[in-house]
């Protein structure tokens, strides 16, 4: 499973980072940056929560 970020949709709310700090970091302006793109085993729920938390649908999961 991969976590993908459409940086053109990210508005810097930072809500995605709260449920998945091991997968997403925020830059100095609050915009998301992905750490790994492959979601490690055991982090699938956190990745799904991050996708759900994004108000602009900037994140998505693909298999």
């Amino acid at each position: 499973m991969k976590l993908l970020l459409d940086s053109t949709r990210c508005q810097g709310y930072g809500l995605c980072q709260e449920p998945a700090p091991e997968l997403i970091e925020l830059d100095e302006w609050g915009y998301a940056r992905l750490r790994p793109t492959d979601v490690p085993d055991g982090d699938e729920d956190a990745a799904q929560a991050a996708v759900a938390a994004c108000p602009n649908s900037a994140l998505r999961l693909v298999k």
Side-chain angles (χ1 to χ4, degrees), residues 17-59:
Q17 199 259 344
E18 288 181 31
E22 62 283 348
L23 301 174
I24 301 166
E25 63 184 9
L26 302 177
D27 69 13
E28 58 269 22
W29 299 285
Y31 290 91
R33 286 192 291 211
L34 299 181
R35 291 187 174 161
T37 57
D38 291 326
V39 177
D41 291 340
D43 286 336
E44 294 91 354
D45 289 343
Q48 290 174 350
V51 170
C54 181
N56 293 321
S57 301
L59 293 169

